[in-house]
Amino acid sequence: MDQLFTFARDAELRFETLRMQIEVRAMGSAGEQRQLIDVMLRHPGDARVTTTDPQGGTRGNYAVWLSDGETVRTFSGMTRVGTDRPVRRRVRGLANGDLPGSSMVYETLTDLERETLPETFLHPAGFCQNVLGTGSCRVSGTADQNGREVVIVHCDHPRSVEVSADRPDHRLEVWFDRDTGVISRLIETISGQVTRDAVVTVLEPEAPLPPNAFTFAFPSDARMIF
């Protein structure tokens, strides 16, 4: 497991550009909800994440998160609200070599929105260290995913999660792309019931990107809140 987590830690360093699409199914009291998350990335600094609802029609059915490493712009097609702000500064002292392993923070080459699936999938270091590392993990085998080999890890009762899911019957199944180390599937179950299944349907390292991949103009009716 240590070798796998160390390999996954440096996943983003194994490509210069990337296209990825994640299909998410989340099951809760409101029934099944779906999302499509499209990611385009170019090192260093350029990233674009577009989120849509496959069942939401076409009008305004998207949200964009865009960064060039210096500024972050966001826009919601549903609410017509946009933001344009500097990248959040990192906490000082993170590079201190005296910090315990559980407190180390991986310095990313290209930032993504924090606490999101693209961030977790492309920057797995924190997830491996602070979530998978708190449970009982085992490699259960390999599989083929869209022509790419993956390593499958099962984790029982990871404790670094929200209180509502901190239960002994909480389990994670995580697929790691064997070539790059990125996470390509995350299945979360509670009491044997799947509560979330996020699967990468497109993974293209070194993908050619369109010239306007990281450009965005706010619509004239956008309401800028900051």
Side-chain angles (χ1 to χ4, degrees), residues 1-116:
M1 294 308 307
D2 289 343
Q3 289 179 329
L4 177 60
F5 289 171
T6 300
F7 179 74
R9 177 195 64 196
D10 299 325
E12 69 164 343
L13 305 182
R14 298 188 177 97
F15 45 79
E16 295 296 325
T17 65
L18 180 82
R19 296 192 70 163
M20 182 172 73
Q21 184 179 84
I22 308 171
E23 182 176 353
V24 186
R25 295 169 50 245
M27 281 60 74
S29 58
E32 180 178 301
Q33 296 180 330
R34 296 181 63 204
Q35 279 186 329
L36 286 180
I37 305 174
D38 289 284
V39 181
M40 289 189 290
L41 181 146
R42 181 178 63 203
H43 293 316
D46 290 322
R48 180 179 187 137
V49 180
T50 305
T51 304
T52 58
D53 178 356
Q55 300 173 325
T58 58
R59 182 175 176 80
N61 177 29
Y62 69 96
V64 176
W65 184 97
L66 187 71
S67 176
D68 60 4
E70 299 293 333
T71 61
V72 173
R73 288 174 290 165
T74 67
F75 180 73
S76 169
M78 296 295 292
T79 62
R80 315 303 290 176
V81 170
T83 67
D84 189 342
R85 63 190 189 277
V87 169
R88 184 186 302 176
R89 294 182 180 178
R90 293 187 176 273
V91 177
R92 293 181 181 273
L94 295 180
N96 188 336
D98 293 331
L99 290 173
S102 59
S103 300
M104 297 296 289
V105 177
Y106 180 80
E107 292 287 339
T108 58
L109 185 59
T110 297
D111 285 342
L112 291 161
E113 187 177 8
R114 299 176 189 179
E115 299 184 3
T116 63

